[in-house]
Amino acid sequence: MRFLPVSLSTILVELADLDETLALFASLENDPVAGIEETVPAARTLMIRFRPEKIDGQVLAAELSRRDLTAKIPPSDKLVEIPVHYNGEDLADVATLTGLSIDEVIRRHTESEFTVAFCGFAPGFGYLVGGDPALHVPRRQSPRTRIPAGSVALAGAFSGVYPQNSPGGWQIIGTTPLKMWDIDREPGALFQPGYRVRFLDMDKASGKISLPVSEAKPRKEPSREGPHFEVLAAPMPALFQDLGRFGQTGQGVSASGALDRGAFNAANRIVGNPHNTPCLELTLGGLSFRAASRTVIGLTGAPCPVTIETAEGRFTAKTYAPIPLEAGDTVTLGQPPKGMRCYLAVRGGFDVEPVLGSFATDTLAVVGPEPVTAGTILPLKTETNEFSSVAIDEVTAFEPPAMDEVVTLDVVLGPRTDWFTQKGIETLTNQLWQVTPQSNRVGIRLAGEVPVERRDSAELPSEGTATGAIQIPHSGQPVLFLADHPLTGGYPVIGAVAEYHLDLAGQIPVNAKIQFRPIGPFADITAKNT
């Protein structure tokens, strides 16, 4: 085993192969280690997020190094059959790469029995192993920007099915009409770790293939009867957020959640709400809404100008302070001069339904409550049992950056820093990186004069990625992952922003510049016995 730093609270365990990875994962599932919060298995690594106040990284490494990696995972009783039209646009290329005929590629794929090794990349995307070794092919040299949902594909030793339209570099050999991810199904992902999978050639099937249909769960329609806000304008959709959706990595669903957690928590304290009450995350202001009843709101994060129009006239309000509203009052938020995101809390909370146990909206996975746009009715809760007093002494944890500023972010080097030359590491840490307009909740896309130089062009097997990870694609221009990043990734991560600077990262506007500052040299984690 090799133990590599990911961040201050996450390590990556590198193992010999997938069998060892799954054995360690099963060992931790059967006999958990106190302090471990989440584990993400991948091709030959296990990413482990832990609580540093509960267990030290070196002590955790020592505990993991004692685990038995020889145990084999018993096969599941669950068999999933996937009907396929073998009409993929890369089918002929796969035949050429393997030296087989197209018919032989199809035959070998349908005669194989696969196992779902792990899930990642997107909700419902299962990495399938156990297929015919003759079908092992490399990823495409140039990834596609859009692969349709239902595409059956190959890459390396894996087969898989894209659950939704997404970019990707796997070789497409066919399509299936089955819905791989369905939030109305239980569980939502058709593939679960350990399931056995077989593919059926629909064009040669003798009988009619029936497709399962899930019944949509009833959704509560918003009502104007009780207390509510009516959204009058939302230039950018507002998103419900909480502190994240945990425990769903087995379905390929990452945590998501508020990008500025400190501002989110402060918004709830300002109105006296219980911890982790869902708030609205607003990007670059612009929201306008009318209150239908008396209530109190709080706004935190980026300093949006706040205008309240009442029956008596118009006045301005401050952020980081309780703002009382009467029925008929209209609230309009301007564009913040600094920062990117502000958080709107209302006393008692919004009456919104959770999705997979959380109110977080994951824009990449398309999981969470519906985005809030003009015309949306936002019902408010009226329960007061858990209220506390409003907080009148809240202050911002940091001054949000402006678009012409340089923002310094502390970085933990790893886990793949040694995939880069010394010059590449110096380029990352010495050069200023400009935030591009292509940035969003998935990640901040950066541009610099000199790309980060790699040692070689070797292909990295997919492995878990953490919020704050700085991934370096072939272009050498970094992507700083934010809360909606994919659970796994196939490009090397040179470092990760320290957890205490993640809120700041979530507030960096387009055209600002970032300076990465390592908090120490890159080194493997050594096991320390207690």
Side-chain angles (χ1 to χ4, degrees):
M1 289 186 202
R2 186 185 181 199
F3 303 99
L4 299 164
V6 173
S7 68
L8 296 174
S9 61
T10 308
I11 66 172
L12 191 75
V13 186
E14 187 178 83
L15 298 118
D17 51 32
L18 181 61
D19 286 343
E20 283 196 2
T21 300
L22 296 180
L24 179 57
F25 179 65
S27 173
L28 292 173
E29 290 284 292
N30 295 329
D31 183 15
V33 174
I36 288 182
E37 294 275 277
E38 201 162 42
T39 56
V40 180
R44 54 183 178 85
T45 59
L46 196 65
M47 190 177 77
I48 300 176
R49 185 171 59 85
F50 61 95
R51 297 177 63 180
E53 70 273 19
K54 292 281 188 181
I55 189 168
D56 176 82
Q58 291 181 301
V59 174
L60 175 58
E63 168 61 34
L64 297 173
S65 65
R66 292 192 286 267
R67 294 298 176 109
D68 179 17
L69 303 182
T70 61
K72 296 293 182 182
I73 311 301
S76 170
D77 294 333
K78 180 70 173 179
L79 173 65
V80 180
E81 294 185 326
I82 308 296
V84 181
H85 286 298
Y86 284 94
N87 55 2
E89 49 195 302
D90 299 322
L91 185 56
D93 290 343
V94 169
T96 300
L97 287 166
T98 58
L100 304 171
S101 67
I102 289 177
D103 286 345
E104 185 67 6
V105 169
I106 296 170
R107 184 186 69 80
R108 289 176 183 250
H109 196 250
T110 54
E111 289 184 358
S112 297
E113 182 171 286
F114 297 86
T115 301
V116 182
F118 56 93
C119 293
F121 174 67
F125 189 94
Y127 288 79
L128 311 181
V129 297
D132 193 316
L135 298 182
H136 293 183
V137 290
R139 288 183 175 93
R140 286 171 50 85
Q141 286 294 314
S142 301
R144 292 183 174 91
T145 57
R146 183 183 181 277
I147 291 180
S151 295
V152 179
L154 303 172
F158 298 105
S159 187
V161 184
Y162 283 81
Q164 61 193 41
N165 299 335
S166 58
W170 288 33
Q171 307 275 2
I172 303 171
I173 62 172
T175 57
T176 179
L178 273 186
K179 204 170 183 180
M180 306 306 298
W181 170 257
D182 186 349
I183 201 68
D184 291 320
R185 187 171 56 205
E186 185 58 44
L190 192 61
F191 289 163
Q192 298 287 319
Y195 282 13
R196 296 178 295 126
V197 178
R198 293 189 71 94
F199 293 93
L200 308 175
D201 187 348
M202 293 182 71
D203 300 321
K204 294 181 180 177
S206 55
K208 185 178 180 181
I209 296 177
S210 60
L211 302 178
V213 178
S214 57
E215 195 171 313
K217 296 175 183 175
R219 287 174 170 80
K220 185 164 59 175
E221 290 298 322
S223 171
R224 295 174 181 265
E225 295 297 317
H228 67 273
F229 292 160
E230 179 182 359
V231 179
L232 306 176
M236 295 188 69
L239 304 175
F240 283 106
Q241 296 295 348
D242 59 15
L243 293 176
R245 178 180 290 102
F246 298 99
Q248 298 291 338
T249 56
Q251 298 197 81
V253 180
S254 58
S256 186
L259 291 190
D260 186 343
R261 294 161 65 92
F264 169 89
N265 287 329
N268 275 320
R269 290 195 297 268
I270 284 168
V271 297
N273 279 345
H275 178 71
N276 205 23
T277 299
C279 295
L280 278 179
E281 183 180 84
L282 318 172
T283 302
L284 296 177
L287 186 77
S288 179
F289 62 90
R290 182 184 298 113
S293 60
R294 172 181 288 183
T295 190
V296 178
I297 63 170
L299 283 157
T300 59
C304 291
V306 185
T307 303
I308 314 292
E309 193 168 335
T310 73
E312 287 75 34
R314 178 181 297 183
F315 66 94
T316 59
K318 294 181 179 180
T319 57
Y320 283 89
I323 303 173
L325 298 179
E326 298 290 340
D329 288 356
T330 297
V331 180
T332 301
L333 309 182
Q335 183 171 340
K338 295 183 175 183
M340 278 286 286
R341 297 170 175 92
C342 62
Y343 294 84
L344 170 65
V346 60
R347 186 163 174 82
F350 296 98
D351 191 3
V352 61
E353 295 293 321
V355 178
L356 295 181
S358 168
F359 301 93
T361 301
D362 187 327
T363 58
L364 178 67
V366 195
V367 174
E370 290 291 322
V372 173
T373 56
T376 299
I377 301 298
L378 297 172
L380 309 181
K381 290 186 174 180
T382 56
E383 180 61 49
T384 60
N385 288 343
E386 297 182 39
F387 279 5
S388 56
S389 299
V390 298
I392 58 174
D393 56 356
E394 292 291 333
V395 294
T396 180
F398 55 85
E399 188 68 22
M403 64 175 59
D404 57 350
E405 291 184 19
V406 175
V407 182
T408 300
L409 298 177
D410 287 352
V411 170
V412 176
L413 292 178
R416 298 300 175 188
T417 311
D418 53 1
W419 279 53
F420 300 87
T421 64
Q422 184 59 36
K423 177 185 175 184
I425 298 170
E426 291 171 358
T427 298
L428 177 81
T429 57
N430 295 338
Q431 180 172 260
L432 294 181
W433 298 94
Q434 186 165 22
V435 177
T436 70
Q438 288 72 42
S439 303
N440 51 33
R441 278 185 52 88
V442 177
I444 300 175
R445 293 187 176 273
L446 301 170
E449 290 184 13
V450 180
V452 177
E453 182 180 83
R454 281 178 56 168
R455 291 189 181 277
D456 55 45
S457 57
E459 193 166 300
L460 178 73
S462 293
E463 58 189 28
T465 55
T467 301
I470 305 166
Q471 191 183 68
I472 310 293
H474 291 306
S475 66
Q477 302 292 338
V479 179
L480 168 53
F481 280 160
L482 297 180
D484 291 357
H485 66 87
L487 195 62
T488 59
Y491 294 116
V493 170
I494 194 171
V497 173
E499 283 85 343
Y500 54 79
H501 272 171
L502 288 178
D503 286 0
L504 174 59
Q507 291 288 6
I508 301 176
V510 171
N511 291 329
K513 291 183 172 63
I514 293 177
Q515 170 85 62
F516 291 118
R517 179 174 62 193
I519 60 178
F522 169 69
D524 287 15
I525 297 170
T526 55
K528 180 175 71 177
N529 292 300
T530 56

